[in-house]
Amino acid sequence: MAATFTSRAKKIVKEKGASADEFEDSVAQALFDLEATNAELKADLRDLYITAAKEIDIPNTARKAIIVHVPFRLLKAFRKIQPRLVRELEKKFSGKDVVFVANRRILPPPQNGQSTARPRSRTLTAVHDAVLDDLVYPTEIVGKRTRYRVDGSKTLKVYLDPKDRNTTEYKLDTFAGVYRKLTGKEVTFEFPVTESA
């Protein structure tokens, strides 16, 4: 039992030594089980771990989503196996959509005349755009439009690659709900209408 606990603990590393909650432990255990039982994922999963996991309700639907936060420097390794990993985790947590998002830090703009340079990748806009890319991966974003309403509110329309319509169409509400939860921004996901020649 102790060996299982330590190996599961290796799959989730919280910032500043915080302890994982029960749900995060269950996700870490699922990753550990996959590493132990799935031969094709075993080598890839060996050095990977997550930093947090949250379950959220998707508004206007009966669906639930699991947001798995991963360290930014491990994102490339996660992306190599992400489609298979998502499929396996969705089997384990039946009826729930799984999305992976990298941990990114937003730095405040320099104040009172300081000339400290802030990398573009640490700005709020860049981080929110990167979160959008993480959410829909491996589907590509082919276009974005911002719609301003008369009352002053705005909605972001994101167009996804039509070739992935069959695999991601049922997840569009999930993407919108998770993005709203993470950033507080309204977004709608669509596939562009292609005119047949």
PDB file of all heavy atoms in Angstrom, residues 55-66 86 90 93-99 167-178:
ATOM      1  N   GLU A  55     -12.484  19.299 -11.356  1.00  0.00           N
ATOM      2  CA  GLU A  55     -13.671  18.870 -12.073  1.00  0.00           C
ATOM      3  C   GLU A  55     -14.659  20.030 -12.078  1.00  0.00           C
ATOM      4  O   GLU A  55     -14.898  20.638 -11.037  1.00  0.00           O
ATOM      5  CB  GLU A  55     -14.293  17.665 -11.371  1.00  0.00           C
ATOM      6  CG  GLU A  55     -15.469  17.083 -12.112  1.00  0.00           C
ATOM      7  CD  GLU A  55     -16.034  15.855 -11.412  1.00  0.00           C
ATOM      8  OE1 GLU A  55     -15.880  15.730 -10.187  1.00  0.00           O
ATOM      9  OE2 GLU A  55     -16.641  15.050 -12.111  1.00  0.00           O
ATOM     10  N   ILE A  56     -15.184  20.365 -13.259  1.00  0.00           N
ATOM     11  CA  ILE A  56     -16.152  21.469 -13.332  1.00  0.00           C
ATOM     12  C   ILE A  56     -17.405  21.014 -14.080  1.00  0.00           C
ATOM     13  O   ILE A  56     -17.352  20.078 -14.881  1.00  0.00           O
ATOM     14  CB  ILE A  56     -15.565  22.726 -14.017  1.00  0.00           C
ATOM     15  CG1 ILE A  56     -15.258  22.455 -15.498  1.00  0.00           C
ATOM     16  CG2 ILE A  56     -14.347  23.240 -13.305  1.00  0.00           C
ATOM     17  CD1 ILE A  56     -15.126  23.721 -16.324  1.00  0.00           C
ATOM     18  N   ASP A  57     -18.526  21.678 -13.784  1.00  0.00           N
ATOM     19  CA  ASP A  57     -19.766  21.450 -14.523  1.00  0.00           C
ATOM     20  C   ASP A  57     -19.783  22.384 -15.719  1.00  0.00           C
ATOM     21  O   ASP A  57     -19.431  23.553 -15.602  1.00  0.00           O
ATOM     22  CB  ASP A  57     -20.978  21.753 -13.642  1.00  0.00           C
ATOM     23  CG  ASP A  57     -21.073  20.784 -12.474  1.00  0.00           C
ATOM     24  OD1 ASP A  57     -20.929  19.574 -12.721  1.00  0.00           O
ATOM     25  OD2 ASP A  57     -21.273  21.241 -11.334  1.00  0.00           O
ATOM     26  N   ILE A  58     -20.214  21.868 -16.857  1.00  0.00           N
ATOM     27  CA  ILE A  58     -20.326  22.700 -18.056  1.00  0.00           C
ATOM     28  C   ILE A  58     -21.715  23.329 -18.063  1.00  0.00           C
ATOM     29  O   ILE A  58     -22.716  22.609 -18.025  1.00  0.00           O
ATOM     30  CB  ILE A  58     -20.107  21.860 -19.340  1.00  0.00           C
ATOM     31  CG1 ILE A  58     -18.749  21.148 -19.285  1.00  0.00           C
ATOM     32  CG2 ILE A  58     -20.208  22.730 -20.580  1.00  0.00           C
ATOM     33  CD1 ILE A  58     -17.567  22.047 -19.129  1.00  0.00           C
ATOM     34  N   PRO A  59     -21.801  24.680 -18.101  1.00  0.00           N
ATOM     35  CA  PRO A  59     -23.115  25.345 -18.072  1.00  0.00           C
ATOM     36  C   PRO A  59     -23.984  24.942 -19.265  1.00  0.00           C
ATOM     37  O   PRO A  59     -23.471  24.676 -20.353  1.00  0.00           O
ATOM     38  CB  PRO A  59     -22.771  26.841 -18.149  1.00  0.00           C
ATOM     39  CG  PRO A  59     -21.316  26.946 -17.918  1.00  0.00           C
ATOM     40  CD  PRO A  59     -20.703  25.617 -18.180  1.00  0.00           C
ATOM     41  N   ASN A  60     -25.294  24.879 -19.044  1.00  0.00           N
ATOM     42  CA  ASN A  60     -26.299  24.576 -20.070  1.00  0.00           C
ATOM     43  C   ASN A  60     -26.223  23.153 -20.619  1.00  0.00           C
ATOM     44  O   ASN A  60     -26.851  22.850 -21.625  1.00  0.00           O
ATOM     45  CB  ASN A  60     -26.218  25.565 -21.248  1.00  0.00           C
ATOM     46  CG  ASN A  60     -26.268  26.998 -20.778  1.00  0.00           C
ATOM     47  OD1 ASN A  60     -26.936  27.316 -19.797  1.00  0.00           O
ATOM     48  ND2 ASN A  60     -25.553  27.874 -21.461  1.00  0.00           N
ATOM     49  N   THR A  61     -25.402  22.303 -20.012  1.00  0.00           N
ATOM     50  CA  THR A  61     -25.356  20.891 -20.425  1.00  0.00           C
ATOM     51  C   THR A  61     -25.293  20.045 -19.163  1.00  0.00           C
ATOM     52  O   THR A  61     -25.085  20.558 -18.066  1.00  0.00           O
ATOM     53  CB  THR A  61     -24.096  20.578 -21.281  1.00  0.00           C
ATOM     54  OG1 THR A  61     -22.931  20.771 -20.470  1.00  0.00           O
ATOM     55  CG2 THR A  61     -24.006  21.430 -22.515  1.00  0.00           C
ATOM     56  N   ALA A  62     -25.433  18.750 -19.352  1.00  0.00           N
ATOM     57  CA  ALA A  62     -25.335  17.846 -18.196  1.00  0.00           C
ATOM     58  C   ALA A  62     -23.912  17.296 -18.071  1.00  0.00           C
ATOM     59  O   ALA A  62     -23.641  16.446 -17.230  1.00  0.00           O
ATOM     60  CB  ALA A  62     -26.328  16.704 -18.364  1.00  0.00           C
ATOM     61  N   ARG A  63     -23.007  17.785 -18.904  1.00  0.00           N
ATOM     62  CA  ARG A  63     -21.649  17.234 -18.945  1.00  0.00           C
ATOM     63  C   ARG A  63     -20.770  17.801 -17.841  1.00  0.00           C
ATOM     64  O   ARG A  63     -21.007  18.879 -17.314  1.00  0.00           O
ATOM     65  CB  ARG A  63     -20.986  17.537 -20.295  1.00  0.00           C
ATOM     66  CG  ARG A  63     -21.707  16.950 -21.469  1.00  0.00           C
ATOM     67  CD  ARG A  63     -21.004  17.302 -22.761  1.00  0.00           C
ATOM     68  NE  ARG A  63     -19.830  16.492 -22.975  1.00  0.00           N
ATOM     69  CZ  ARG A  63     -19.865  15.291 -23.566  1.00  0.00           C
ATOM     70  NH1 ARG A  63     -21.005  14.793 -23.975  1.00  0.00           N
ATOM     71  NH2 ARG A  63     -18.757  14.605 -23.759  1.00  0.00           N
ATOM     72  N   LYS A  64     -19.729  17.044 -17.528  1.00  0.00           N
ATOM     73  CA  LYS A  64     -18.695  17.511 -16.606  1.00  0.00           C
ATOM     74  C   LYS A  64     -17.361  17.442 -17.332  1.00  0.00           C
ATOM     75  O   LYS A  64     -17.193  16.644 -18.251  1.00  0.00           O
ATOM     76  CB  LYS A  64     -18.623  16.620 -15.359  1.00  0.00           C
ATOM     77  CG  LYS A  64     -19.782  16.825 -14.391  1.00  0.00           C
ATOM     78  CD  LYS A  64     -19.601  15.913 -13.201  1.00  0.00           C
ATOM     79  CE  LYS A  64     -20.710  16.049 -12.192  1.00  0.00           C
ATOM     80  NZ  LYS A  64     -20.693  17.292 -11.467  1.00  0.00           N
ATOM     81  N   ALA A  65     -16.426  18.293 -16.918  1.00  0.00           N
ATOM     82  CA  ALA A  65     -15.100  18.290 -17.543  1.00  0.00           C
ATOM     83  C   ALA A  65     -14.041  18.182 -16.458  1.00  0.00           C
ATOM     84  O   ALA A  65     -14.230  18.654 -15.337  1.00  0.00           O
ATOM     85  CB  ALA A  65     -14.892  19.555 -18.353  1.00  0.00           C
ATOM     86  N   ILE A  66     -12.933  17.559 -16.809  1.00  0.00           N
ATOM     87  CA  ILE A  66     -11.785  17.466 -15.912  1.00  0.00           C
ATOM     88  C   ILE A  66     -10.663  18.292 -16.530  1.00  0.00           C
ATOM     89  O   ILE A  66     -10.237  18.023 -17.662  1.00  0.00           O
ATOM     90  CB  ILE A  66     -11.334  16.003 -15.726  1.00  0.00           C
ATOM     91  CG1 ILE A  66     -12.463  15.187 -15.092  1.00  0.00           C
ATOM     92  CG2 ILE A  66     -10.070  15.934 -14.890  1.00  0.00           C
ATOM     93  CD1 ILE A  66     -12.193  13.703 -15.047  1.00  0.00           C
ATOM     94  N   VAL A  86      -5.898  11.201 -23.432  1.00  0.00           N
ATOM     95  CA  VAL A  86      -7.254  11.725 -23.216  1.00  0.00           C
ATOM     96  C   VAL A  86      -8.275  10.607 -23.408  1.00  0.00           C
ATOM     97  O   VAL A  86      -9.208  10.451 -22.614  1.00  0.00           O
ATOM     98  CB  VAL A  86      -7.537  12.909 -24.172  1.00  0.00           C
ATOM     99  CG1 VAL A  86      -9.022  13.235 -24.215  1.00  0.00           C
ATOM    100  CG2 VAL A  86      -6.750  14.131 -23.736  1.00  0.00           C
ATOM    101  N   GLU A  90     -10.689   9.390 -20.442  1.00  0.00           N
ATOM    102  CA  GLU A  90     -12.137   9.526 -20.598  1.00  0.00           C
ATOM    103  C   GLU A  90     -12.837   8.185 -20.416  1.00  0.00           C
ATOM    104  O   GLU A  90     -13.985   8.139 -19.994  1.00  0.00           O
ATOM    105  CB  GLU A  90     -12.473  10.154 -21.962  1.00  0.00           C
ATOM    106  CG  GLU A  90     -12.211  11.653 -21.974  1.00  0.00           C
ATOM    107  CD  GLU A  90     -12.456  12.324 -23.321  1.00  0.00           C
ATOM    108  OE1 GLU A  90     -12.712  11.613 -24.317  1.00  0.00           O
ATOM    109  OE2 GLU A  90     -12.385  13.566 -23.373  1.00  0.00           O
ATOM    110  N   PHE A  93     -12.781   7.869 -16.439  1.00  0.00           N
ATOM    111  CA  PHE A  93     -13.772   8.774 -15.849  1.00  0.00           C
ATOM    112  C   PHE A  93     -14.926   8.885 -16.841  1.00  0.00           C
ATOM    113  O   PHE A  93     -15.062   9.889 -17.536  1.00  0.00           O
ATOM    114  CB  PHE A  93     -13.154  10.162 -15.596  1.00  0.00           C
ATOM    115  CG  PHE A  93     -12.004  10.131 -14.641  1.00  0.00           C
ATOM    116  CD1 PHE A  93     -10.696  10.154 -15.112  1.00  0.00           C
ATOM    117  CD2 PHE A  93     -12.211  10.084 -13.271  1.00  0.00           C
ATOM    118  CE1 PHE A  93      -9.620  10.132 -14.231  1.00  0.00           C
ATOM    119  CE2 PHE A  93     -11.147  10.073 -12.387  1.00  0.00           C
ATOM    120  CZ  PHE A  93      -9.850  10.091 -12.866  1.00  0.00           C
ATOM    121  N   SER A  94     -15.757   7.867 -16.919  1.00  0.00           N
ATOM    122  CA  SER A  94     -16.752   7.784 -17.990  1.00  0.00           C
ATOM    123  C   SER A  94     -17.720   8.964 -17.954  1.00  0.00           C
ATOM    124  O   SER A  94     -18.157   9.407 -16.895  1.00  0.00           O
ATOM    125  CB  SER A  94     -17.524   6.472 -17.870  1.00  0.00           C
ATOM    126  OG  SER A  94     -18.125   6.406 -16.598  1.00  0.00           O
ATOM    127  N   GLY A  95     -18.007   9.482 -19.157  1.00  0.00           N
ATOM    128  CA  GLY A  95     -18.957  10.583 -19.276  1.00  0.00           C
ATOM    129  C   GLY A  95     -18.374  11.954 -19.002  1.00  0.00           C
ATOM    130  O   GLY A  95     -19.093  12.941 -18.997  1.00  0.00           O
ATOM    131  N   LYS A  96     -17.062  12.033 -18.761  1.00  0.00           N
ATOM    132  CA  LYS A  96     -16.437  13.332 -18.489  1.00  0.00           C
ATOM    133  C   LYS A  96     -15.393  13.625 -19.555  1.00  0.00           C
ATOM    134  O   LYS A  96     -14.658  12.733 -19.966  1.00  0.00           O
ATOM    135  CB  LYS A  96     -15.770  13.330 -17.110  1.00  0.00           C
ATOM    136  CG  LYS A  96     -16.781  13.154 -15.993  1.00  0.00           C
ATOM    137  CD  LYS A  96     -16.122  12.992 -14.657  1.00  0.00           C
ATOM    138  CE  LYS A  96     -17.158  12.705 -13.580  1.00  0.00           C
ATOM    139  NZ  LYS A  96     -16.570  12.323 -12.318  1.00  0.00           N
ATOM    140  N   ASP A  97     -15.335  14.881 -19.987  1.00  0.00           N
ATOM    141  CA  ASP A  97     -14.339  15.288 -20.975  1.00  0.00           C
ATOM    142  C   ASP A  97     -13.062  15.689 -20.244  1.00  0.00           C
ATOM    143  O   ASP A  97     -13.112  16.362 -19.215  1.00  0.00           O
ATOM    144  CB  ASP A  97     -14.847  16.475 -21.799  1.00  0.00           C
ATOM    145  CG  ASP A  97     -16.085  16.108 -22.603  1.00  0.00           C
ATOM    146  OD1 ASP A  97     -16.177  14.953 -23.037  1.00  0.00           O
ATOM    147  OD2 ASP A  97     -16.951  16.978 -22.791  1.00  0.00           O
ATOM    148  N   VAL A  98     -11.915  15.302 -20.786  1.00  0.00           N
ATOM    149  CA  VAL A  98     -10.622  15.609 -20.157  1.00  0.00           C
ATOM    150  C   VAL A  98      -9.867  16.590 -21.039  1.00  0.00           C
ATOM    151  O   VAL A  98      -9.757  16.386 -22.255  1.00  0.00           O
ATOM    152  CB  VAL A  98      -9.783  14.326 -19.962  1.00  0.00           C
ATOM    153  CG1 VAL A  98      -8.420  14.641 -19.365  1.00  0.00           C
ATOM    154  CG2 VAL A  98     -10.528  13.331 -19.089  1.00  0.00           C
ATOM    155  N   VAL A  99      -9.377  17.685 -20.438  1.00  0.00           N
ATOM    156  CA  VAL A  99      -8.540  18.639 -21.175  1.00  0.00           C
ATOM    157  C   VAL A  99      -7.259  18.901 -20.390  1.00  0.00           C
ATOM    158  O   VAL A  99      -7.269  18.903 -19.159  1.00  0.00           O
ATOM    159  CB  VAL A  99      -9.265  19.982 -21.454  1.00  0.00           C
ATOM    160  CG1 VAL A  99     -10.393  19.794 -22.433  1.00  0.00           C
ATOM    161  CG2 VAL A  99      -9.768  20.631 -20.192  1.00  0.00           C
ATOM    162  N   THR A 167     -14.116  14.430 -34.569  1.00  0.00           N
ATOM    163  CA  THR A 167     -13.538  14.050 -33.272  1.00  0.00           C
ATOM    164  C   THR A 167     -13.782  15.087 -32.183  1.00  0.00           C
ATOM    165  O   THR A 167     -13.728  14.748 -31.008  1.00  0.00           O
ATOM    166  CB  THR A 167     -12.016  13.826 -33.399  1.00  0.00           C
ATOM    167  OG1 THR A 167     -11.428  14.978 -33.988  1.00  0.00           O
ATOM    168  CG2 THR A 167     -11.711  12.596 -34.227  1.00  0.00           C
ATOM    169  N   THR A 168     -14.050  16.351 -32.552  1.00  0.00           N
ATOM    170  CA  THR A 168     -14.160  17.382 -31.509  1.00  0.00           C
ATOM    171  C   THR A 168     -15.510  18.082 -31.436  1.00  0.00           C
ATOM    172  O   THR A 168     -15.734  18.855 -30.519  1.00  0.00           O
ATOM    173  CB  THR A 168     -13.082  18.473 -31.702  1.00  0.00           C
ATOM    174  OG1 THR A 168     -13.174  18.977 -33.020  1.00  0.00           O
ATOM    175  CG2 THR A 168     -11.711  17.968 -31.417  1.00  0.00           C
ATOM    176  N   GLU A 169     -16.433  17.784 -32.354  1.00  0.00           N
ATOM    177  CA  GLU A 169     -17.686  18.545 -32.379  1.00  0.00           C
ATOM    178  C   GLU A 169     -18.464  18.435 -31.072  1.00  0.00           C
ATOM    179  O   GLU A 169     -19.019  19.414 -30.582  1.00  0.00           O
ATOM    180  CB  GLU A 169     -18.560  18.094 -33.554  1.00  0.00           C
ATOM    181  CG  GLU A 169     -19.720  19.033 -33.785  1.00  0.00           C
ATOM    182  CD  GLU A 169     -20.205  19.020 -35.229  1.00  0.00           C
ATOM    183  OE1 GLU A 169     -20.100  17.978 -35.895  1.00  0.00           O
ATOM    184  OE2 GLU A 169     -20.687  20.061 -35.676  1.00  0.00           O
ATOM    185  N   TYR A 170     -18.467  17.253 -30.471  1.00  0.00           N
ATOM    186  CA  TYR A 170     -19.232  17.063 -29.230  1.00  0.00           C
ATOM    187  C   TYR A 170     -18.576  17.759 -28.036  1.00  0.00           C
ATOM    188  O   TYR A 170     -19.191  17.881 -26.969  1.00  0.00           O
ATOM    189  CB  TYR A 170     -19.409  15.566 -28.937  1.00  0.00           C
ATOM    190  CG  TYR A 170     -18.137  14.855 -28.555  1.00  0.00           C
ATOM    191  CD1 TYR A 170     -17.815  14.641 -27.213  1.00  0.00           C
ATOM    192  CD2 TYR A 170     -17.246  14.399 -29.524  1.00  0.00           C
ATOM    193  CE1 TYR A 170     -16.642  13.999 -26.850  1.00  0.00           C
ATOM    194  CE2 TYR A 170     -16.078  13.755 -29.172  1.00  0.00           C
ATOM    195  CZ  TYR A 170     -15.785  13.553 -27.840  1.00  0.00           C
ATOM    196  OH  TYR A 170     -14.622  12.918 -27.484  1.00  0.00           O
ATOM    197  N   LYS A 171     -17.334  18.238 -28.208  1.00  0.00           N
ATOM    198  CA  LYS A 171     -16.622  18.873 -27.093  1.00  0.00           C
ATOM    199  C   LYS A 171     -16.667  20.399 -27.124  1.00  0.00           C
ATOM    200  O   LYS A 171     -16.084  21.045 -26.256  1.00  0.00           O
ATOM    201  CB  LYS A 171     -15.147  18.458 -27.115  1.00  0.00           C
ATOM    202  CG  LYS A 171     -14.846  17.133 -26.478  1.00  0.00           C
ATOM    203  CD  LYS A 171     -13.346  16.970 -26.400  1.00  0.00           C
ATOM    204  CE  LYS A 171     -12.953  15.771 -25.592  1.00  0.00           C
ATOM    205  NZ  LYS A 171     -11.510  15.670 -25.460  1.00  0.00           N
ATOM    206  N   LEU A 172     -17.327  20.998 -28.082  1.00  0.00           N
ATOM    207  CA  LEU A 172     -17.283  22.454 -28.235  1.00  0.00           C
ATOM    208  C   LEU A 172     -17.811  23.178 -26.995  1.00  0.00           C
ATOM    209  O   LEU A 172     -17.240  24.174 -26.553  1.00  0.00           O
ATOM    210  CB  LEU A 172     -18.063  22.899 -29.481  1.00  0.00           C
ATOM    211  CG  LEU A 172     -17.512  22.390 -30.830  1.00  0.00           C
ATOM    212  CD1 LEU A 172     -18.298  22.984 -31.987  1.00  0.00           C
ATOM    213  CD2 LEU A 172     -16.033  22.717 -30.986  1.00  0.00           C
ATOM    214  N   ASP A 173     -18.906  22.669 -26.406  1.00  0.00           N
ATOM    215  CA  ASP A 173     -19.442  23.284 -25.182  1.00  0.00           C
ATOM    216  C   ASP A 173     -18.451  23.153 -24.027  1.00  0.00           C
ATOM    217  O   ASP A 173     -18.321  24.054 -23.200  1.00  0.00           O
ATOM    218  CB  ASP A 173     -20.777  22.635 -24.780  1.00  0.00           C
ATOM    219  CG  ASP A 173     -21.894  23.009 -25.736  1.00  0.00           C
ATOM    220  OD1 ASP A 173     -21.782  24.071 -26.378  1.00  0.00           O
ATOM    221  OD2 ASP A 173     -22.861  22.237 -25.853  1.00  0.00           O
ATOM    222  N   THR A 174     -17.763  22.015 -23.990  1.00  0.00           N
ATOM    223  CA  THR A 174     -16.759  21.794 -22.941  1.00  0.00           C
ATOM    224  C   THR A 174     -15.638  22.813 -23.058  1.00  0.00           C
ATOM    225  O   THR A 174     -15.242  23.423 -22.067  1.00  0.00           O
ATOM    226  CB  THR A 174     -16.176  20.363 -23.052  1.00  0.00           C
ATOM    227  OG1 THR A 174     -17.247  19.436 -22.926  1.00  0.00           O
ATOM    228  CG2 THR A 174     -15.147  20.104 -21.983  1.00  0.00           C
ATOM    229  N   PHE A 175     -15.124  23.007 -24.286  1.00  0.00           N
ATOM    230  CA  PHE A 175     -14.051  23.983 -24.492  1.00  0.00           C
ATOM    231  C   PHE A 175     -14.484  25.366 -24.008  1.00  0.00           C
ATOM    232  O   PHE A 175     -13.741  26.056 -23.315  1.00  0.00           O
ATOM    233  CB  PHE A 175     -13.660  24.067 -25.969  1.00  0.00           C
ATOM    234  CG  PHE A 175     -13.013  22.818 -26.534  1.00  0.00           C
ATOM    235  CD1 PHE A 175     -13.068  22.554 -27.888  1.00  0.00           C
ATOM    236  CD2 PHE A 175     -12.353  21.923 -25.713  1.00  0.00           C
ATOM    237  CE1 PHE A 175     -12.465  21.417 -28.421  1.00  0.00           C
ATOM    238  CE2 PHE A 175     -11.753  20.776 -26.231  1.00  0.00           C
ATOM    239  CZ  PHE A 175     -11.815  20.522 -27.585  1.00  0.00           C
ATOM    240  N   ALA A 176     -15.707  25.773 -24.382  1.00  0.00           N
ATOM    241  CA  ALA A 176     -16.199  27.104 -24.007  1.00  0.00           C
ATOM    242  C   ALA A 176     -16.340  27.224 -22.491  1.00  0.00           C
ATOM    243  O   ALA A 176     -15.957  28.240 -21.897  1.00  0.00           O
ATOM    244  CB  ALA A 176     -17.527  27.380 -24.700  1.00  0.00           C
ATOM    245  N   GLY A 177     -16.883  26.189 -21.853  1.00  0.00           N
ATOM    246  CA  GLY A 177     -17.075  26.215 -20.401  1.00  0.00           C
ATOM    247  C   GLY A 177     -15.770  26.262 -19.637  1.00  0.00           C
ATOM    248  O   GLY A 177     -15.622  27.013 -18.665  1.00  0.00           O
ATOM    249  N   VAL A 178     -14.791  25.474 -20.091  1.00  0.00           N
ATOM    250  CA  VAL A 178     -13.482  25.437 -19.422  1.00  0.00           C
ATOM    251  C   VAL A 178     -12.760  26.769 -19.612  1.00  0.00           C
ATOM    252  O   VAL A 178     -12.177  27.315 -18.673  1.00  0.00           O
ATOM    253  CB  VAL A 178     -12.621  24.262 -19.955  1.00  0.00           C
ATOM    254  CG1 VAL A 178     -11.194  24.360 -19.450  1.00  0.00           C
ATOM    255  CG2 VAL A 178     -13.228  22.937 -19.546  1.00  0.00           C
TER     256      VAL A 178
END
